[in-house]
Amino acid sequence: MLLKDTIVLSVSGKINKEQYEKVLFELLSQRNKEIRKIILVICSEGGSISYAFAIYDLLKNIKVEIVTVALGDCIGAATLLFSLGNKRLVSDNVIYVLHFDLEVNCKENESLAAKFLKRKNEILENKAIEAIVATSNCSAEKISQSFYNENENFIERDELLELGIATDRLSSYEIISHYVFGFKLKWS
């Protein structure tokens, strides 16, 4: 969707090839327009870290302001996309979880394939940690601890703000219109 010079993109549900293609086609459909801002609304339980990186790289290489908005779930691979924002807004009830599912598509007895996938996931996890660290006040050690600690990888809204992972709280339509669209709406 295009609003003046702003594209609003949505990543919801599982991050996969279809999500990547949806983002790509929306950007391609707007290629002849002058774009100054991208708003990425995220409500995702995660999914493929490979496709999350495809979306991440695609958006990162467009030299415009990016505002990310986390509503509902922002889990796993979705946390990488959330880190893209110059402004990173979280709703009051966001569920933010740092973890990645292993992308294992092979039989367990295929040890070479399993080793390849394990190494691929290690590389992608490290790159995701670097991306989150680059846009927050967190150390790589703190993010890594959250990734690998099954009991403590849920991070609540106030802690997201404190750690700098989120830049502001998204709590009302007034805030949505002000931060995301650049103006305040009058509600009757």
Side-chain angles (χ1 to χ4, degrees):
M1 176 167 76
L2 182 67
L3 302 167
K4 285 189 179 182
D5 54 0
T6 301
I7 297 176
V8 179
L9 301 171
S10 172
V11 172
S12 59
K14 201 98 166 135
I15 296 174
N16 54 26
K17 180 181 176 184
E18 290 76 21
Q19 282 285 347
Y20 165 74
E21 289 174 348
K22 183 177 99 174
V23 170
L24 176 63
F25 291 139
E26 181 64 30
L27 291 172
L28 288 174
S29 74
Q30 305 298 329
R31 70 179 173 267
N32 295 326
K33 303 199 170 69
E34 185 175 329
I35 305 302
R36 294 194 181 146
K37 184 188 291 185
I38 294 173
I39 299 166
L40 181 62
V41 180
I42 302 164
C43 182
S44 171
E45 69 271 15
S48 168
I49 188 64
S50 296
Y51 283 110
F53 264 110
I55 295 169
Y56 178 93
D57 290 341
L58 183 66
L59 295 175
K60 186 82 170 171
N61 289 310
I62 299 172
K63 303 298 180 200
V64 298
E65 179 184 4
I66 297 176
V67 175
T68 51
V69 180
L71 301 170
D73 289 345
C74 187
I75 298 174
T79 63
L80 172 67
L81 297 179
F82 183 69
S83 75
L84 269 169
N86 305 94
K87 294 177 184 171
R88 297 174 303 280
L89 310 177
V90 290
S91 66
D92 287 341
N93 298 304
V94 69
I95 297 174
Y96 185 97
V97 182
L98 288 169
H99 85 93
F100 291 125
D101 294 329
L102 292 176
E103 295 178 10
V104 177
N105 297 318
C106 63
K107 297 176 186 170
E108 287 185 33
N109 62 354
E110 296 178 15
S111 63
L112 186 58
K115 286 179 186 176
F116 169 79
L117 289 172
K118 182 180 178 196
R119 181 66 182 133
K120 173 187 169 191
N121 283 311
E122 288 172 358
I123 291 168
L124 293 175
E125 284 174 359
N126 287 333
K127 287 180 178 275
I129 290 168
E130 289 172 14
I132 294 168
V133 167
T135 59
S136 70
N137 302 328
C138 292
S139 67
E141 181 181 353
K142 170 72 176 161
I143 297 297
S144 294
Q145 286 172 353
S146 293
F147 264 110
Y148 302 116
N149 184 341
E150 289 182 19
N151 298 324
E152 295 184 22
N153 55 5
F154 282 80
I155 303 175
E156 294 188 29
R157 185 200 68 220
D158 291 340
E159 189 177 0
L160 290 170
L161 293 165
E162 181 182 312
L163 294 171
I165 293 172
T167 58
D168 213 336
R169 183 176 155 230
L170 181 68
S171 62
S172 72
Y173 289 108
E174 181 178 9
I175 292 174
I176 293 170
S177 63
H178 176 70
Y179 283 104
V180 176
F181 301 113
F183 58 86
K184 288 189 178 184
L185 296 174
K186 305 259 187 209
W187 300 97
S188 51

PDB file of all heavy atoms in Angstrom, residues 47-74:
ATOM      1  N   GLY A  47       9.877 -17.987  11.293  1.00  0.00           N
ATOM      2  CA  GLY A  47       9.914 -18.889  10.147  1.00  0.00           C
ATOM      3  C   GLY A  47      11.331 -19.016   9.636  1.00  0.00           C
ATOM      4  O   GLY A  47      12.279 -19.105  10.413  1.00  0.00           O
ATOM      5  N   SER A  48      11.472 -18.958   8.337  1.00  0.00           N
ATOM      6  CA  SER A  48      12.770 -19.170   7.696  1.00  0.00           C
ATOM      7  C   SER A  48      13.695 -17.977   7.906  1.00  0.00           C
ATOM      8  O   SER A  48      13.404 -16.868   7.472  1.00  0.00           O
ATOM      9  CB  SER A  48      12.568 -19.391   6.190  1.00  0.00           C
ATOM     10  OG  SER A  48      13.806 -19.314   5.524  1.00  0.00           O
ATOM     11  N   ILE A  49      14.821 -18.219   8.551  1.00  0.00           N
ATOM     12  CA  ILE A  49      15.808 -17.153   8.727  1.00  0.00           C
ATOM     13  C   ILE A  49      16.412 -16.771   7.381  1.00  0.00           C
ATOM     14  O   ILE A  49      16.757 -15.618   7.150  1.00  0.00           O
ATOM     15  CB  ILE A  49      16.888 -17.544   9.772  1.00  0.00           C
ATOM     16  CG1 ILE A  49      17.803 -16.365  10.106  1.00  0.00           C
ATOM     17  CG2 ILE A  49      17.691 -18.729   9.321  1.00  0.00           C
ATOM     18  CD1 ILE A  49      17.121 -15.207  10.760  1.00  0.00           C
ATOM     19  N   SER A  50      16.502 -17.719   6.449  1.00  0.00           N
ATOM     20  CA  SER A  50      17.033 -17.416   5.113  1.00  0.00           C
ATOM     21  C   SER A  50      16.132 -16.415   4.393  1.00  0.00           C
ATOM     22  O   SER A  50      16.620 -15.438   3.814  1.00  0.00           O
ATOM     23  CB  SER A  50      17.157 -18.686   4.273  1.00  0.00           C
ATOM     24  OG  SER A  50      18.098 -19.557   4.846  1.00  0.00           O
ATOM     25  N   TYR A  51      14.822 -16.632   4.423  1.00  0.00           N
ATOM     26  CA  TYR A  51      13.908 -15.684   3.772  1.00  0.00           C
ATOM     27  C   TYR A  51      13.812 -14.378   4.553  1.00  0.00           C
ATOM     28  O   TYR A  51      13.614 -13.317   3.964  1.00  0.00           O
ATOM     29  CB  TYR A  51      12.538 -16.319   3.530  1.00  0.00           C
ATOM     30  CG  TYR A  51      12.578 -17.243   2.339  1.00  0.00           C
ATOM     31  CD1 TYR A  51      12.488 -18.616   2.493  1.00  0.00           C
ATOM     32  CD2 TYR A  51      12.762 -16.736   1.051  1.00  0.00           C
ATOM     33  CE1 TYR A  51      12.556 -19.466   1.399  1.00  0.00           C
ATOM     34  CE2 TYR A  51      12.839 -17.583  -0.042  1.00  0.00           C
ATOM     35  CZ  TYR A  51      12.730 -18.937   0.132  1.00  0.00           C
ATOM     36  OH  TYR A  51      12.813 -19.770  -0.956  1.00  0.00           O
ATOM     37  N   ALA A  52      13.964 -14.428   5.872  1.00  0.00           N
ATOM     38  CA  ALA A  52      14.007 -13.189   6.647  1.00  0.00           C
ATOM     39  C   ALA A  52      15.209 -12.363   6.219  1.00  0.00           C
ATOM     40  O   ALA A  52      15.111 -11.140   6.048  1.00  0.00           O
ATOM     41  CB  ALA A  52      14.057 -13.490   8.145  1.00  0.00           C
ATOM     42  N   PHE A  53      16.360 -13.005   6.025  1.00  0.00           N
ATOM     43  CA  PHE A  53      17.535 -12.273   5.549  1.00  0.00           C
ATOM     44  C   PHE A  53      17.339 -11.765   4.126  1.00  0.00           C
ATOM     45  O   PHE A  53      17.833 -10.696   3.773  1.00  0.00           O
ATOM     46  CB  PHE A  53      18.804 -13.125   5.644  1.00  0.00           C
ATOM     47  CG  PHE A  53      19.589 -12.861   6.888  1.00  0.00           C
ATOM     48  CD1 PHE A  53      19.665 -13.815   7.889  1.00  0.00           C
ATOM     49  CD2 PHE A  53      20.237 -11.652   7.091  1.00  0.00           C
ATOM     50  CE1 PHE A  53      20.371 -13.579   9.050  1.00  0.00           C
ATOM     51  CE2 PHE A  53      20.945 -11.396   8.248  1.00  0.00           C
ATOM     52  CZ  PHE A  53      21.016 -12.360   9.234  1.00  0.00           C
ATOM     53  N   ALA A  54      16.617 -12.488   3.291  1.00  0.00           N
ATOM     54  CA  ALA A  54      16.330 -12.009   1.935  1.00  0.00           C
ATOM     55  C   ALA A  54      15.515 -10.713   2.003  1.00  0.00           C
ATOM     56  O   ALA A  54      15.815  -9.732   1.298  1.00  0.00           O
ATOM     57  CB  ALA A  54      15.599 -13.082   1.128  1.00  0.00           C
ATOM     58  N   ILE A  55      14.496 -10.684   2.865  1.00  0.00           N
ATOM     59  CA  ILE A  55      13.692  -9.465   3.042  1.00  0.00           C
ATOM     60  C   ILE A  55      14.541  -8.370   3.668  1.00  0.00           C
ATOM     61  O   ILE A  55      14.515  -7.212   3.230  1.00  0.00           O
ATOM     62  CB  ILE A  55      12.444  -9.764   3.918  1.00  0.00           C
ATOM     63  CG1 ILE A  55      11.515 -10.744   3.204  1.00  0.00           C
ATOM     64  CG2 ILE A  55      11.716  -8.468   4.260  1.00  0.00           C
ATOM     65  CD1 ILE A  55      10.403 -11.305   4.092  1.00  0.00           C
ATOM     66  N   TYR A  56      15.324  -8.711   4.683  1.00  0.00           N
ATOM     67  CA  TYR A  56      16.202  -7.765   5.376  1.00  0.00           C
ATOM     68  C   TYR A  56      17.149  -7.095   4.384  1.00  0.00           C
ATOM     69  O   TYR A  56      17.248  -5.861   4.338  1.00  0.00           O
ATOM     70  CB  TYR A  56      16.982  -8.517   6.459  1.00  0.00           C
ATOM     71  CG  TYR A  56      17.958  -7.680   7.238  1.00  0.00           C
ATOM     72  CD1 TYR A  56      17.566  -7.080   8.429  1.00  0.00           C
ATOM     73  CD2 TYR A  56      19.273  -7.516   6.820  1.00  0.00           C
ATOM     74  CE1 TYR A  56      18.457  -6.323   9.172  1.00  0.00           C
ATOM     75  CE2 TYR A  56      20.168  -6.759   7.553  1.00  0.00           C
ATOM     76  CZ  TYR A  56      19.756  -6.159   8.731  1.00  0.00           C
ATOM     77  OH  TYR A  56      20.647  -5.411   9.462  1.00  0.00           O
ATOM     78  N   ASP A  57      17.847  -7.894   3.582  1.00  0.00           N
ATOM     79  CA  ASP A  57      18.802  -7.342   2.621  1.00  0.00           C
ATOM     80  C   ASP A  57      18.110  -6.480   1.572  1.00  0.00           C
ATOM     81  O   ASP A  57      18.617  -5.422   1.193  1.00  0.00           O
ATOM     82  CB  ASP A  57      19.596  -8.457   1.939  1.00  0.00           C
ATOM     83  CG  ASP A  57      20.577  -9.137   2.882  1.00  0.00           C
ATOM     84  OD1 ASP A  57      20.922  -8.545   3.925  1.00  0.00           O
ATOM     85  OD2 ASP A  57      21.001 -10.266   2.577  1.00  0.00           O
ATOM     86  N   LEU A  58      16.953  -6.922   1.123  1.00  0.00           N
ATOM     87  CA  LEU A  58      16.186  -6.166   0.140  1.00  0.00           C
ATOM     88  C   LEU A  58      15.834  -4.778   0.680  1.00  0.00           C
ATOM     89  O   LEU A  58      16.079  -3.759   0.022  1.00  0.00           O
ATOM     90  CB  LEU A  58      14.918  -6.947  -0.211  1.00  0.00           C
ATOM     91  CG  LEU A  58      13.994  -6.376  -1.273  1.00  0.00           C
ATOM     92  CD1 LEU A  58      14.687  -6.385  -2.629  1.00  0.00           C
ATOM     93  CD2 LEU A  58      12.720  -7.204  -1.335  1.00  0.00           C
ATOM     94  N   LEU A  59      15.295  -4.716   1.884  1.00  0.00           N
ATOM     95  CA  LEU A  59      14.882  -3.442   2.466  1.00  0.00           C
ATOM     96  C   LEU A  59      16.066  -2.599   2.919  1.00  0.00           C
ATOM     97  O   LEU A  59      16.053  -1.374   2.785  1.00  0.00           O
ATOM     98  CB  LEU A  59      13.922  -3.677   3.633  1.00  0.00           C
ATOM     99  CG  LEU A  59      12.583  -4.311   3.259  1.00  0.00           C
ATOM    100  CD1 LEU A  59      11.770  -4.613   4.512  1.00  0.00           C
ATOM    101  CD2 LEU A  59      11.805  -3.421   2.314  1.00  0.00           C
ATOM    102  N   LYS A  60      17.087  -3.236   3.447  1.00  0.00           N
ATOM    103  CA  LYS A  60      18.268  -2.520   3.947  1.00  0.00           C
ATOM    104  C   LYS A  60      18.967  -1.756   2.823  1.00  0.00           C
ATOM    105  O   LYS A  60      19.531  -0.682   3.046  1.00  0.00           O
ATOM    106  CB  LYS A  60      19.231  -3.521   4.593  1.00  0.00           C
ATOM    107  CG  LYS A  60      20.413  -2.909   5.273  1.00  0.00           C
ATOM    108  CD  LYS A  60      20.032  -2.452   6.640  1.00  0.00           C
ATOM    109  CE  LYS A  60      21.257  -2.058   7.430  1.00  0.00           C
ATOM    110  NZ  LYS A  60      20.912  -1.416   8.660  1.00  0.00           N
ATOM    111  N   ASN A  61      18.922  -2.284   1.615  1.00  0.00           N
ATOM    112  CA  ASN A  61      19.611  -1.661   0.490  1.00  0.00           C
ATOM    113  C   ASN A  61      18.810  -0.553  -0.182  1.00  0.00           C
ATOM    114  O   ASN A  61      19.294   0.082  -1.107  1.00  0.00           O
ATOM    115  CB  ASN A  61      20.027  -2.725  -0.526  1.00  0.00           C
ATOM    116  CG  ASN A  61      21.157  -3.567   0.023  1.00  0.00           C
ATOM    117  OD1 ASN A  61      22.150  -3.045   0.508  1.00  0.00           O
ATOM    118  ND2 ASN A  61      20.990  -4.877  -0.007  1.00  0.00           N
ATOM    119  N   ILE A  62      17.584  -0.323   0.273  1.00  0.00           N
ATOM    120  CA  ILE A  62      16.816   0.822  -0.196  1.00  0.00           C
ATOM    121  C   ILE A  62      17.139   1.962   0.754  1.00  0.00           C
ATOM    122  O   ILE A  62      16.929   1.867   1.949  1.00  0.00           O
ATOM    123  CB  ILE A  62      15.302   0.514  -0.189  1.00  0.00           C
ATOM    124  CG1 ILE A  62      15.004  -0.660  -1.111  1.00  0.00           C
ATOM    125  CG2 ILE A  62      14.502   1.750  -0.589  1.00  0.00           C
ATOM    126  CD1 ILE A  62      13.576  -1.151  -1.020  1.00  0.00           C
ATOM    127  N   LYS A  63      17.660   3.019   0.248  1.00  0.00           N
ATOM    128  CA  LYS A  63      18.165   4.101   1.101  1.00  0.00           C
ATOM    129  C   LYS A  63      17.051   5.080   1.472  1.00  0.00           C
ATOM    130  O   LYS A  63      17.021   6.223   1.031  1.00  0.00           O
ATOM    131  CB  LYS A  63      19.315   4.833   0.405  1.00  0.00           C
ATOM    132  CG  LYS A  63      20.472   3.930   0.018  1.00  0.00           C
ATOM    133  CD  LYS A  63      21.105   3.286   1.226  1.00  0.00           C
ATOM    134  CE  LYS A  63      22.260   2.402   0.824  1.00  0.00           C
ATOM    135  NZ  LYS A  63      22.609   1.432   1.796  1.00  0.00           N
ATOM    136  N   VAL A  64      16.103   4.591   2.301  1.00  0.00           N
ATOM    137  CA  VAL A  64      15.020   5.425   2.810  1.00  0.00           C
ATOM    138  C   VAL A  64      14.848   5.128   4.292  1.00  0.00           C
ATOM    139  O   VAL A  64      15.355   4.130   4.799  1.00  0.00           O
ATOM    140  CB  VAL A  64      13.686   5.158   2.063  1.00  0.00           C
ATOM    141  CG1 VAL A  64      13.800   5.479   0.590  1.00  0.00           C
ATOM    142  CG2 VAL A  64      13.201   3.732   2.267  1.00  0.00           C
ATOM    143  N   GLU A  65      14.108   6.002   4.972  1.00  0.00           N
ATOM    144  CA  GLU A  65      13.801   5.761   6.375  1.00  0.00           C
ATOM    145  C   GLU A  65      12.886   4.546   6.476  1.00  0.00           C
ATOM    146  O   GLU A  65      11.955   4.388   5.693  1.00  0.00           O
ATOM    147  CB  GLU A  65      13.102   6.972   6.987  1.00  0.00           C
ATOM    148  CG  GLU A  65      12.732   6.764   8.436  1.00  0.00           C
ATOM    149  CD  GLU A  65      11.944   7.911   9.044  1.00  0.00           C
ATOM    150  OE1 GLU A  65      11.605   8.866   8.335  1.00  0.00           O
ATOM    151  OE2 GLU A  65      11.652   7.808  10.242  1.00  0.00           O
ATOM    152  N   ILE A  66      13.174   3.691   7.443  1.00  0.00           N
ATOM    153  CA  ILE A  66      12.333   2.518   7.693  1.00  0.00           C
ATOM    154  C   ILE A  66      11.818   2.596   9.123  1.00  0.00           C
ATOM    155  O   ILE A  66      12.584   2.796  10.058  1.00  0.00           O
ATOM    156  CB  ILE A  66      13.111   1.204   7.474  1.00  0.00           C
ATOM    157  CG1 ILE A  66      13.566   1.087   6.015  1.00  0.00           C
ATOM    158  CG2 ILE A  66      12.254  -0.002   7.862  1.00  0.00           C
ATOM    159  CD1 ILE A  66      14.428  -0.125   5.728  1.00  0.00           C
ATOM    160  N   VAL A  67      10.503   2.464   9.259  1.00  0.00           N
ATOM    161  CA  VAL A  67       9.859   2.386  10.568  1.00  0.00           C
ATOM    162  C   VAL A  67       9.320   0.975  10.688  1.00  0.00           C
ATOM    163  O   VAL A  67       8.589   0.510   9.814  1.00  0.00           O
ATOM    164  CB  VAL A  67       8.701   3.405  10.686  1.00  0.00           C
ATOM    165  CG1 VAL A  67       7.971   3.228  12.011  1.00  0.00           C
ATOM    166  CG2 VAL A  67       9.219   4.830  10.539  1.00  0.00           C
ATOM    167  N   THR A  68       9.709   0.276  11.753  1.00  0.00           N
ATOM    168  CA  THR A  68       9.164  -1.058  11.985  1.00  0.00           C
ATOM    169  C   THR A  68       8.196  -0.990  13.157  1.00  0.00           C
ATOM    170  O   THR A  68       8.427  -0.273  14.128  1.00  0.00           O
ATOM    171  CB  THR A  68      10.264  -2.100  12.249  1.00  0.00           C
ATOM    172  OG1 THR A  68      11.139  -1.632  13.276  1.00  0.00           O
ATOM    173  CG2 THR A  68      11.073  -2.369  10.990  1.00  0.00           C
ATOM    174  N   VAL A  69       7.101  -1.717  13.021  1.00  0.00           N
ATOM    175  CA  VAL A  69       6.041  -1.731  14.029  1.00  0.00           C
ATOM    176  C   VAL A  69       5.767  -3.185  14.383  1.00  0.00           C
ATOM    177  O   VAL A  69       5.397  -3.975  13.521  1.00  0.00           O
ATOM    178  CB  VAL A  69       4.759  -1.068  13.482  1.00  0.00           C
ATOM    179  CG1 VAL A  69       3.659  -1.093  14.536  1.00  0.00           C
ATOM    180  CG2 VAL A  69       5.033   0.351  12.998  1.00  0.00           C
ATOM    181  N   ALA A  70       5.979  -3.542  15.656  1.00  0.00           N
ATOM    182  CA  ALA A  70       5.709  -4.912  16.114  1.00  0.00           C
ATOM    183  C   ALA A  70       4.364  -4.935  16.825  1.00  0.00           C
ATOM    184  O   ALA A  70       4.167  -4.264  17.835  1.00  0.00           O
ATOM    185  CB  ALA A  70       6.812  -5.390  17.048  1.00  0.00           C
ATOM    186  N   LEU A  71       3.451  -5.709  16.256  1.00  0.00           N
ATOM    187  CA  LEU A  71       2.122  -5.906  16.826  1.00  0.00           C
ATOM    188  C   LEU A  71       1.948  -7.400  17.053  1.00  0.00           C
ATOM    189  O   LEU A  71       2.257  -8.188  16.171  1.00  0.00           O
ATOM    190  CB  LEU A  71       1.040  -5.424  15.860  1.00  0.00           C
ATOM    191  CG  LEU A  71       1.074  -3.966  15.438  1.00  0.00           C
ATOM    192  CD1 LEU A  71       0.097  -3.726  14.298  1.00  0.00           C
ATOM    193  CD2 LEU A  71       0.741  -3.078  16.617  1.00  0.00           C
ATOM    194  N   GLY A  72       1.457  -7.788  18.206  1.00  0.00           N
ATOM    195  CA  GLY A  72       1.255  -9.216  18.449  1.00  0.00           C
ATOM    196  C   GLY A  72       2.581  -9.945  18.567  1.00  0.00           C
ATOM    197  O   GLY A  72       3.409  -9.605  19.394  1.00  0.00           O
ATOM    198  N   ASP A  73       2.783 -10.938  17.705  1.00  0.00           N
ATOM    199  CA  ASP A  73       4.010 -11.736  17.748  1.00  0.00           C
ATOM    200  C   ASP A  73       5.137 -11.098  16.949  1.00  0.00           C
ATOM    201  O   ASP A  73       4.942 -10.648  15.823  1.00  0.00           O
ATOM    202  CB  ASP A  73       3.766 -13.125  17.146  1.00  0.00           C
ATOM    203  CG  ASP A  73       2.898 -14.004  18.022  1.00  0.00           C
ATOM    204  OD1 ASP A  73       2.713 -13.667  19.202  1.00  0.00           O
ATOM    205  OD2 ASP A  73       2.411 -15.030  17.522  1.00  0.00           O
ATOM    206  N   CYS A  74       6.317 -11.103  17.550  1.00  0.00           N
ATOM    207  CA  CYS A  74       7.563 -10.745  16.858  1.00  0.00           C
ATOM    208  C   CYS A  74       8.576 -11.770  17.365  1.00  0.00           C
ATOM    209  O   CYS A  74       9.278 -11.549  18.342  1.00  0.00           O
ATOM    210  CB  CYS A  74       7.980  -9.323  17.184  1.00  0.00           C
ATOM    211  SG  CYS A  74       9.396  -8.762  16.208  1.00  0.00           S
TER     212      CYS A  74
END
